[in-house]
Amino acid sequence: MVYTSQKIANWYFSIALFLFVLQVIMGLWLISNYVFTIPQEVVNVFPFATARAMHTNLLVLWMLLAFMGGTYFIVPMETESEIWSPNLAWFQLIALVVTGVVALVGFAFGWTKGRPLLEIPPPLNYMVVVGALVFLFNVGMTMFKARRWTVIQGTLLGGLVFLALLYLAGIPFYRNEVIDWYYWWWVIHLWVEGAWELVTGAIMAFILMRLTGVDRQVVEKWLYVEIGLFMFTGIAGTGHHYYWIGAPKYWLWVGGIFSALEPLPILLMVIDTMNHVRHRHAQIVNPHTWTIAMGCAVFHMIGAGVWGFAHTLPQVNYYTHGSQVTVSHGHLAFFGAYALLNLLVFYFAMPQLKGIEIYKPTRAKLGFWTMCSAMMLMGLTFGIAGVLQSYLERVLGMGYMTAQSYMRLWMGVTLVLGVFFLGGVLITVCDLLSPKAATERLD
Amino acid sequence: MTKKIAFWIFLLGTLSSAVLFLGLTVDTHRQVAALSHADKLSENVVAGKRAFEKYNCNDCHTILGFGGYYAPDLTKVVQRVGEDGIRYRVKHPELAFANSVRKMPQQHVSEVEIESLVAFFNWVGEIDNGDWPPQDSKKRLSRSEQRLSLGATVSPGAAVFQTKGCMNCHSLHGVGGTFGPVLDTIGRTLTSEQIEQYILNPKSVNPNAKMPPQNGLSDRERDEVAKFLGNLK
Ligand code: HEM
Ligand code: HEM
Ligand SMILES: [Fe+2]
């Protein structure tokens, strides 16, 4: 580490890790609601709906903080200059964390916008917008003053601006439920299958370049192709959410065809990662960091590419839409693509920020493999529950709760797996917050 | 491939998809008015939407398939449980779900809000959304219904059972309501004659019965449905 202002990233990362732990604990509570009968008195004061809002908003909050921290870490190295204003970076972190805490406490007291995943009410939405504007301004000024433009910087900034703009679509109250969902997906889909993929592409390219010493020209050329394919398939691919909302029928074609192509750029990213590592010029000092990079690419492909493709065609989606199949995909994709990406950034940056060049990977490995196997199995158990639901409820026409009774066993197994997952998370978080330097040379 | 070509792939890929998407967005806005019957989108319906959001219903129930998956989809809820069924469940969830393994919170929703919610669900149920969800489709028969209706050609009683409201409360082979007992094997406990008596006046067979007398059935219909149920052993 060369630039002192990069240090701020460590705070973003640490807070993100704390929120990640809270998110997973909420997840365990949610799944318990599926396995046990929660008494009416408890349900009255803390319903499933409130806990779900917390689980998902914690997710979004920690990931956005991690992206921002990652940006504050990467931009100085890319521009070879200090962050324009470290004070603004501080201000923005505090503003966002306070907004997040107020939002979470508010949910507990029933203060909500009541839109799934976008429950944060309007006054707080504006706080988020202010935080985002300050962030973009700070990052933009840093790049502008340095004037050392690179494709990685451009992609990162472009992705972040796109991300911020899309957030605006989720703020207004729409009178028509159909239009409401139409724009809801501008936030949700165009985030995870658009803007966030740009950010991911840029971060992956940066880390791979640093890790392997592969020529920037090669990395950036493939970055262009990747993000081009992401945008081409992802933007019109939004249509795969417009099949059953009361939008025109052509979305079945547009959504089906474009979204079926969405796995291509993800596959390209996997091939790219493997190629860069094969043709590396530098010795990889921390092999575990590269394991995470590879794991991220592969898990991204499984969760988003394979699982996404599995239910994206209208013929399948008619039966699986809004079932536990969706939950299975949501978990595998978010974890594989974005949780692992952020963990990659953490393992790349946090030991360095604490002055550790080569870290001892024992706990890191244990945490990583526990999380990955537990989540993969959770994806399968949610998936089995989802296939049962699609068949029993939608094909056979069983009543909703009757079908659920056949799924309960699998939700129970998910709960057990979730406990292991939390264990993996805790090991990882401890390791990241106090990384140990390797004592003997690795080979 | 050079970096320059890669750049053009990026630019053209992004622009072509964005132009298509924005163009279709404009067209969608034009068509949604008709597809969603926007002319019937009254202030009361909008008030119902606001209540739906105020109580965060959507984080347990899906609507149009989106939201939490903890409770049944509400797109066609009026068709499935009726307006009164909605009122009862929202007003007294602790009673409606007393025997359920999953509870719904008592949120003290006001009478006015409940009426708006009913209006909102009525409006949502009419959206032309490609006949989703399959389990509530009127055009297609579920596998279980197909199996039942095969029986209906032999037994008119089955047809009565399905079309005269029995299934609002009772279920057969997992299809139907959950307020009343499952009738899959009712013939083991009651004879056809007892069932006929029960339909006429439940309390005369079981003094604690909560089921209302089914006066809407003709003698023939009552006779057929009792015979049909009496044979379910
Ligand atoms: C990393 C990228 C991705 C993430 C994080 C992600 C996440 C999610 C989440 C959370 C949902 C559920 C939203 C809700 O209704 O509450 C969802 C739905 C969906 N996703 Fe993805 N996804 C990703 C990529 C993909 C890809 C590449 C495809 C297709 C090839 C895809 C196909 C779908 C489909 C079809 C649905 C709708 C499910 C339904 O009808 O209920 N996703 N995704
Ligand atoms: C112990 C671990 C976890 C458990 C037991 C768990 C459980 C759950 C449950 C029960 C739901 C509600 C689904 C419903 O509405 O019925 C949910 C939603 C969700 N969780 Fe988790 N979760 C865990 C960890 C995670 C992690 C690590 C992530 C992301 C990296 C995540 C992302 C999500 C998302 C995106 C949703 C919304 C899904 C949708 O709308 O389709 N969860 N989770
Ligand atoms: Fe999507």
Side-chain angles (χ1 to χ4, degrees):
Chain A
M1 193 198 60
V2 224
Y3 304 94
T4 47
S5 55
Q6 274 179 306
K7 275 213 162 66
I8 180 113
N10 202 43
W11 284 97
Y12 279 81
F13 296 158
S14 305
I15 295 174
L17 283 170
F18 176 68
L19 299 175
F20 182 26
V21 174
L22 288 186
Q23 185 223 339
V24 174
I25 293 174
M26 267 309 155
L28 289 175
W29 169 250
L30 286 178
I31 194 75
S32 306
N33 278 255
Y34 272 96
V35 183
F36 308 110
T37 294
I38 311 294
Q40 184 75 43
E41 299 75 45
V42 178
V43 171
N44 286 347
V45 288
F46 191 56
F48 179 89
T50 306
R52 190 181 135 106
M54 292 177 169
H55 180 62
T56 49
N57 279 271
L58 280 163
L59 164 73
V60 174
L61 188 60
W62 85 256
M63 293 206 163
L64 290 181
L65 288 178
F67 283 159
M68 289 173 169
T71 306
Y72 280 135
F73 183 83
I74 291 173
V75 165
M77 290 165 102
E78 275 288 291
T79 57
E80 300 179 5
S81 69
E82 295 286 348
I83 291 168
W84 184 67
S85 163
N87 284 337
L88 274 184
W90 273 109
F91 165 78
Q92 183 233 315
L93 174 64
I94 294 166
L96 286 176
V97 171
V98 169
T99 311
V101 171
V102 173
L104 289 164
V105 175
F107 293 159
F109 291 95
W111 191 37
T112 171
K113 196 162 71 183
R115 301 287 299 144
L117 313 190
L118 303 180
E119 290 90 347
I120 298 183
L124 296 179
N125 290 154
Y126 301 126
M127 288 289 293
V128 175
V129 171
V130 171
L133 284 178
V134 171
F135 169 70
L136 291 175
F137 179 69
N138 204 4
V139 173
M141 282 305 284
T142 311
M143 292 181 179
F144 189 72
K145 279 196 63 186
R147 285 177 197 283
R148 292 179 49 88
W149 291 105
T150 63
V151 180
I152 291 181
Q153 272 177 60
T155 307
L156 188 59
L157 187 65
L160 293 167
V161 171
F162 189 28
L163 190 167
L165 284 176
L166 291 168
Y167 185 75
L168 302 177
I171 299 180
F173 175 82
Y174 299 95
R175 290 165 56 91
N176 188 320
E177 187 75 7
V178 177
I179 297 295
D180 201 339
W181 288 114
Y182 192 87
Y183 287 108
W184 189 83
W185 285 108
W186 281 39
V187 190
I188 308 303
H189 170 99
L190 285 176
W191 264 14
V192 297
E193 288 154 72
W196 290 28
E197 292 283 15
L198 294 186
V199 175
T200 302
I203 293 179
M204 274 293 243
F206 172 81
I207 292 186
L208 282 177
M209 200 176 69
R210 295 275 161 170
L211 223 52
T212 61
V214 169
D215 187 31
R216 178 182 286 275
Q217 295 308 319
V218 178
V219 171
E220 293 194 335
K221 181 177 83 183
W222 288 109
L223 179 59
Y224 266 141
V225 180
E226 269 166 32
I227 61 175
L229 283 177
F230 271 127
M231 292 291 100
F232 179 70
T233 59
I235 297 178
T238 316
H240 67 169
H241 303 292
Y242 297 159
Y243 299 158
W244 325 114
I245 67 169
K249 297 288 168 280
Y250 50 68
W251 286 114
L252 297 176
W253 289 95
V254 177
I257 292 169
F258 279 83
S259 71
L261 297 174
E262 280 184 45
L264 287 181
I266 310 179
L267 187 64
L268 183 60
M269 208 184 241
V270 176
I271 296 172
D272 232 23
T273 311
M274 289 189 337
N275 265 341
H276 292 335
V277 172
R278 197 170 311 135
H279 300 161
R280 63 180 173 266
H281 299 311
Q283 207 212 336
I284 294 179
V285 279
N286 282 306
H288 184 63
T289 310
W290 122 253
T291 306
I292 307 178
M294 209 48 227
C296 175
V298 172
F299 217 126
H300 190 164
M301 183 62 207
I302 298 174
V306 179
W307 250 249
F309 181 80
H311 61 154
T312 203
L313 297 176
Q315 294 84 341
V316 178
N317 193 262
Y318 185 66
Y319 294 99
T320 59
H321 177 48
S323 71
Q324 294 295 326
V325 171
T326 313
V327 178
S328 169
H329 158 68
H331 282 86
L332 290 181
F334 255 112
F335 176 77
Y338 301 124
L340 284 182
L341 175 84
N342 286 320
L343 289 171
L344 170 65
V345 175
F346 297 168
Y347 268 106
F348 182 74
M350 288 176 89
Q352 272 188 59
L353 285 167
K354 298 219 167 78
I356 296 174
E357 211 49 52
I358 305 178
Y359 60 85
K360 194 172 155 197
T362 328
R363 288 186 300 179
K365 279 185 182 160
L366 182 63
F368 174 80
W369 288 108
T370 311
M371 281 191 298
C372 285
S373 20
M375 186 49 87
M376 192 61 230
L377 291 171
M378 278 173 62
L380 291 176
T381 50
F382 272 136
I384 295 172
V387 171
L388 279 173
Q389 181 177 12
S390 306
Y391 183 69
L392 298 176
E393 186 190 6
R394 284 97 190 270
V395 178
L396 287 188
M398 253 184 209
Y400 175 87
M401 280 308 293
T402 319
Q404 294 282 319
S405 66
Y406 292 94
M407 295 150 61
R408 207 167 174 184
L409 167 70
W410 296 103
M411 298 313 242
V413 181
T414 312
L415 170 59
V416 176
L417 293 169
V419 173
F420 279 95
F421 184 79
L422 176 65
V425 173
L426 290 175
I427 296 170
T428 306
V429 171
C430 289
D431 189 48
L432 279 168
L433 292 181
S434 57
K436 302 264 180 302
T439 39
E440 65 231 73
R441 281 237 15 110
L442 306 149
D443 37 21
Chain B
M1 185 174 40
T2 62
K3 199 167 166 186
K4 194 153 184 192
I5 296 180
F7 171 74
W8 281 101
I9 292 181
F10 161 68
L11 197 67
L12 290 178
T14 308
L15 285 180
S16 58
S17 199
V19 167
L20 174 68
F21 184 65
L22 292 175
L24 293 183
T25 296
V26 173
D27 183 72
T28 299
H29 267 281
R30 273 203 296 255
Q31 295 201 38
V32 159
L35 289 165
S36 70
H37 308 285
D39 50 320
K40 296 197 189 125
L41 189 58
S42 66
E43 286 311 313
N44 199 18
V45 171
V46 176
K49 183 173 185 287
R50 285 192 192 274
F52 187 66
E53 291 169 10
K54 173 177 165 192
Y55 295 102
N56 209 15
C57 313
N58 211 175
D59 261 330
C60 281
H61 294 274
T62 45
I63 192 157
L64 295 167
F66 307 123
Y69 314 109
Y70 191 64
D73 187 81
L74 297 178
T75 313
K76 306 279 181 197
V77 64
V78 179
Q79 174 197 320
R80 209 170 49 238
V81 308
E83 295 190 352
D84 280 335
I86 298 172
R87 292 189 184 101
Y88 180 56
R89 286 165 173 81
V90 177
K91 198 160 181 207
H92 299 296
E94 70 287 356
L95 301 177
F97 300 100
N99 298 321
S100 168
V101 293
R102 249 179 243 173
K103 313 288 181 195
M104 166 161 149
Q106 168 55 272
Q107 305 202 80
H108 307 287
V109 183
S110 75
E111 296 282 346
V112 179
E113 285 170 330
I114 293 181
E115 288 316 308
S116 302
L117 279 170
V118 169
F120 173 63
F121 292 134
N122 267 311
W123 177 81
V124 169
E126 295 299 318
I127 295 172
D128 180 2
N129 73 331
D131 204 26
W132 193 91
Q135 66 270 28
D136 296 331
S137 167
K138 282 186 180 158
K139 289 191 212 137
R140 44 207 318 292
L141 287 174
S142 71
R143 289 269 171 85
S144 312
E145 281 165 337
Q146 288 167 8
R147 220 183 295 146
L148 262 178
S149 66
L150 278 180
T153 53
V154 189
S155 142
V160 174
F161 189 79
Q162 284 176 72
T163 54
K164 295 294 168 179
C166 313
M167 294 184 81
N168 288 345
C169 293
H170 297 284
S171 69
L172 277 185
H173 310 303
V175 183
T178 50
F179 275 16
V182 176
L183 298 182
D184 290 358
T185 56
I186 185 67
R188 290 184 199 163
T189 34
L190 298 176
T191 64
S192 293
E193 291 71 38
Q194 285 170 313
I195 294 172
E196 192 161 0
Q197 192 56 38
Y198 199 106
I199 297 171
L200 260 179
N201 182 358
K203 288 216 186 328
S204 71
V205 180
N206 171 7
N208 296 326
K210 291 207 192 76
M211 171 171 141
Q214 301 300 306
N215 304 324
L217 299 183
S218 69
D219 291 348
R220 167 88 203 279
E221 283 170 337
R222 191 169 55 247
D223 184 48
E224 293 288 0
V225 78
K227 252 194 260 157
F228 165 69
L229 291 172
N231 284 321
L232 297 179
K233 293 186 175 154

